[in-house]
Amino acid sequence: MSTIRDLSQDAEAESHQSFDVVIVGAGFAGLYMLYRLRELGLRVQVFEAGGNVGGTWFWNRYPGARCDVESMEYSYSFSEELQQEWNWTERYATQPEILSYINHVADRFDLRRHIKFNTRVQSAFFDETKSLWSIQADGTSMKASFCVMATGCLSAAKAPEIEGHDRFDGETYHTGLWPDTEFNFTGKKVGVIGTGSSGVQLIPEVAQQSKELYVFQRTPTFSLPAGNRPLNSAEVSDIKRSYTDLRKRARISPTGVASYPVPTQSALEASPDEREIAYDVRWRIGGTAYTRTYNDIMLNAQANQTAADFARQKIKARVRDPEVAEALTPKDVMIGTKRLCLDTEYFETYNKPHVKLIDIKNTPITEITSKGIRTSQTEYILDVLIFATGFDAMTGSILKVDIRTSSGLSLAKKWKEGPKTYLGLMTAGFPNLFMITGPGSPSVLSNMVVSIEQHVEWISDCMASMRLNGRLQIQATSSAEDDWVHHVNELSNGTLFPLGNSWYLGANVPGKPRVFMPYVGGVGRYREICTDVASNDYKGFEFKNT
Ligand code: NA7
């Protein structure tokens, strides 16, 4: 089988292990990338820091962890046999079910033998004259023609910037790095910092076990009922029968989810009564499509307020103590500008007498002590401390790898003022380095599996075409990148998204440049652009043959 470059001719490459492609990460993206490249006959090595496949689903094994995209759609579409044979059991899959699915995929397609587990990539260096990446990973050194970052958008867990955060003597957990060990909170005093999606999913579960639960909330969150339920066999069979069509619709839809509505009416055109009914219908259906009840909720502040006010009123109705209800209700913030949370009995959990909400906006945490958490008011003595403090999203896991080139470029330096990419696939100055769902692509604003499949297929088609045409190097041109960054910013500035203090903007990481990272133009439109680029001989990219 021919390879992109015959590495055995290269003395230096020979002294290292050499591959056509190194892939960093063995989550949904890394596994499918490996599958596709192996189909092309390329020699591929995957490095995975975790002890098994799954990526974010390997690490986020906290109690209550669940996907917020429906399971029948949050799954691979590339294999008809796989999608027909796998049986999802709930509307939203739990983390254990997703993990067993991805393990099944790894076994079914015999992917494990190409993956080195428990191996973290530290650096990647591109030698432009040899057209080779050198990858250093926990003492292993590899050469490869291409490097693909399949590192995930939510994979770099963020420690809280709180004085003494490593001082606590009791059990400590981070939702994004949850250990694969038994735990039992029965009879314990537990503290949770963070009320984003992870906190919202975890808190009701921990409340069921713990003797006392203290939730330290900095910002109240908009959370909607997930409406989770078991799937029945008739609906599963129905979906499976129409899978081909459903997947097609997902690929051209705005969000990568075929079942989400594409609204045509403005919230401001509807009467208050009509809105009340429409929001109530969506609320009962459950899910994040609530903000798709009307077409301008994420475009117009007044329209947004109608949806936010309805949600506020619903939150208040779920909590008995009016003071607690007030503290849990988001104020002065537009709904959906921070990622919406989906919950099962989150707000109702605060009706339990042993669950206490500590509003750390009013009484800030001053330090973490060896015994618990001290606020400006008192010290909370705890047995267990759980950080649900989120991630350095989208760029964090890419920049954890020290990426440089022989012409003296460093990716960390290049992205100091924020990430710059062409299509979220490549960044100028770094030849043969691809990103899957990188900043500048729909990524976290979409069904990730749909966006992953699109990127993987685009990248593997690109490599196949390079091989066919004897091309050794590809990189984005600076002008195409500048135009793309401009386009991404222009689109997001036409929406309300940049007005929220969200991880989409890096606002949750002190010192991180405030740049809205995902592409808001929609999955279908984005796919058309990428297809058009490829069919115009990779317009905006340049090739080198030597
Ligand atoms: P998020 O959504 O970033 O939430 C993190 C939470 O932790 C949020 O409530 C933060 O409050 C809070 N936080 C973070 N740092 C601190 C400090 N230093 N002190 C107090 N509170 C803090 O992360 P998740 O893991 O919940 O969810 C991430 C995504 O994963 C989610 O959107 C889904 O797509 C899946 P803040 O709001 O910053 O005031």
Side-chain angles (χ1 to χ4, degrees):
M1 200 69 74
S2 74
T3 57
I4 286 179
R5 175 181 178 169
D6 186 359
L7 292 163
S8 62
Q9 301 302 308
D10 187 313
E12 196 186 331
E14 217 180 340
S15 67
H16 292 75
Q17 297 183 63
S18 54
F19 289 87
D20 294 313
V21 186
V22 159
I23 298 171
V24 188
F28 271 87
L31 287 189
Y32 184 40
M33 190 80 248
L34 165 60
Y35 172 85
R36 285 288 292 219
L37 296 178
R38 204 181 55 181
E39 294 282 289
L40 285 180
L42 299 181
R43 290 174 302 143
V44 184
Q45 176 67 59
V46 181
F47 288 111
E48 168 54 59
N52 208 332
V53 296
T56 200
W57 297 108
F58 173 85
W59 297 105
N60 282 265
R61 54 180 79 227
Y62 59 85
R66 199 182 274 283
C67 188
D68 58 8
V69 176
E70 299 189 26
S71 54
M72 296 297 291
E73 299 216 43
Y74 189 86
S75 48
Y76 289 121
S77 69
F78 71 86
S79 161
E80 177 61 8
E81 293 76 21
L82 171 66
Q83 69 181 7
Q84 291 300 331
E85 285 169 30
W86 182 264
N87 287 315
W88 295 105
T89 62
E90 292 181 70
R91 181 176 174 195
Y92 298 97
T94 60
Q95 176 272 338
E97 194 169 34
I98 298 172
L99 197 59
S100 71
Y101 169 75
I102 196 133
N103 271 281
H104 168 81
V105 170
D107 292 332
R108 182 178 187 118
F109 299 106
D110 186 23
L111 300 174
R112 289 180 199 281
R113 62 199 165 89
H114 305 283
I115 307 171
K116 265 192 198 311
F117 292 106
N118 299 305
T119 312
R120 183 174 286 283
V121 172
Q122 277 82 34
S123 67
F125 177 82
F126 189 68
D127 184 329
E128 299 196 32
T129 48
K130 294 194 170 109
S131 198
L132 277 178
W133 280 98
S134 297
I135 317 285
Q136 303 296 325
D138 285 343
T140 308
S141 182
M142 297 260 161
K143 298 270 182 196
S145 301
F146 292 90
C147 178
V148 180
M149 301 298 284
T151 37
C153 294
L154 294 164
S155 298
K158 184 183 83 80
E161 324 63 36
I162 301 173
E163 167 75 16
H165 71 86
D166 48 1
R167 210 181 283 154
F168 182 60
D169 282 342
E171 291 168 62
T172 308
Y173 299 87
H174 191 298
T175 47
L177 290 170
W178 200 273
D180 189 10
T181 49
E182 289 291 313
F183 58 89
N184 188 349
F185 302 139
T186 309
K188 294 184 179 165
K189 292 183 192 170
V190 182
V192 176
I193 301 179
T195 53
S197 285
S198 306
V200 159
Q201 292 183 337
L202 165 111
I203 286 161
E205 298 287 322
V206 175
Q208 284 181 25
Q209 288 188 359
S210 57
K211 185 167 102 193
E212 289 169 33
L213 173 59
Y214 297 92
V215 178
F216 296 85
Q217 172 191 271
R218 189 163 67 180
T219 312
T221 190
F222 275 114
S223 183
L224 319 176
N228 188 42
R229 55 177 174 76
L231 289 171
N232 67 57
S233 52
E235 67 186 318
V236 169
S237 305
D238 267 1
I239 293 176
K240 285 188 175 177
R241 255 196 307 278
S242 57
Y243 242 149
T244 308
D245 174 56
L246 180 112
R247 302 295 202 184
K248 241 187 236 159
R249 284 189 288 118
R251 286 182 202 119
I252 58 168
S253 71
T255 55
V257 183
S259 55
Y260 282 2
V262 183
T264 50
Q265 195 191 4
S266 151
L268 304 177
E269 280 164 19
S271 71
D273 286 352
E274 284 167 340
R275 279 198 300 261
E276 188 82 3
I277 293 168
Y279 287 140
D280 198 52
V281 167
R282 269 284 132 205
W283 196 267
R284 281 169 206 276
I285 294 170
T288 54
Y290 177 72
T291 51
R292 306 189 64 77
T293 311
Y294 293 105
N295 63 10
D296 50 358
I297 293 176
M298 296 313 300
L299 299 176
N300 177 303
Q302 228 185 317
N304 187 285
Q305 195 175 343
T306 65
D309 284 347
F310 182 90
R312 289 187 183 108
Q313 161 207 319
K314 286 285 185 192
I315 291 172
K316 287 194 174 135
R318 290 169 70 183
V319 184
R320 267 188 238 121
D321 181 327
E323 253 179 61
V324 179
E326 190 58 31
L328 285 167
T329 305
K331 292 158 201 84
D332 309 325
V333 48
M334 284 184 257
I335 192 165
T337 54
K338 267 187 163 180
R339 173 108 174 183
L340 278 175
C341 303
L342 293 188
D343 73 271
T344 303
E345 306 280 300
Y346 170 65
F347 292 107
E348 290 78 357
T349 301
Y350 294 93
N351 295 331
K352 297 185 176 186
H354 70 293
V355 179
K356 302 274 182 266
L357 180 72
I358 318 298
D359 183 348
I360 55 172
K361 263 260 154 68
N362 291 333
T363 56
I365 297 178
T366 51
E367 62 171 332
I368 293 174
T369 67
S370 60
K371 293 203 186 86
I373 294 180
R374 197 189 313 277
T375 67
S376 58
Q377 208 166 49
T378 188
E379 184 178 9
Y380 295 86
I381 309 297
L382 304 169
D383 302 308
V384 180
L385 177 50
I386 301 174
F387 296 110
T389 45
F391 301 90
D392 180 357
M394 306 201 65
T395 51
S397 52
I398 297 175
L399 293 177
K400 263 190 181 175
V401 179
D402 182 12
I403 301 174
R404 293 170 191 269
T405 70
S406 54
S407 47
L409 287 178
S410 130
L411 188 61
K413 258 197 204 146
K414 178 177 173 186
W415 284 8
K416 206 162 173 281
E417 305 302 326
K420 289 181 80 183
T421 72
Y422 180 38
L423 302 171
L425 280 162
M426 296 196 95
T427 183
F430 294 81
N432 291 8
L433 175 76
F434 287 102
M435 288 164 276
I436 301 177
T437 63
S441 72
S443 59
V444 290
L445 293 183
S446 70
N447 176 352
M448 284 299 286
V449 187
V450 171
S451 290
I452 283 169
E453 287 193 330
Q454 187 248 332
H455 266 189
V456 165
E457 287 159 16
W458 193 96
I459 294 167
S460 49
D461 288 352
C462 175
M463 287 187 193
S465 137
M466 286 175 72
R467 186 164 56 155
L468 198 67
N469 294 300
R471 291 166 155 174
L472 274 184
Q473 272 185 38
I474 176 171
Q475 69 164 313
T477 65
S478 298
S479 64
E481 180 169 280
D482 288 344
D483 290 350
W484 185 250
V485 169
H486 178 73
H487 176 61
V488 170
N489 288 336
E490 199 173 42
L491 286 186
S492 63
N493 288 335
T495 73
L496 302 174
F497 279 107
L499 303 178
N501 277 324
S502 65
W503 55 256
Y504 297 139
L505 276 161
N508 64 329
V509 178
K512 191 166 171 173
R514 202 182 154 99
V515 174
F516 191 80
M517 294 180 278
Y519 172 79
V520 297
V523 162
R525 182 164 161 199
Y526 173 80
R527 175 184 294 267
E528 271 175 27
I529 296 170
C530 291
T531 307
D532 181 61
V533 163
S535 45
N536 281 288
D537 196 22
Y538 295 92
K539 186 174 59 180
F541 291 94
E542 60 195 7
F543 294 96
K544 258 203 205 163
N545 296 337
T546 50

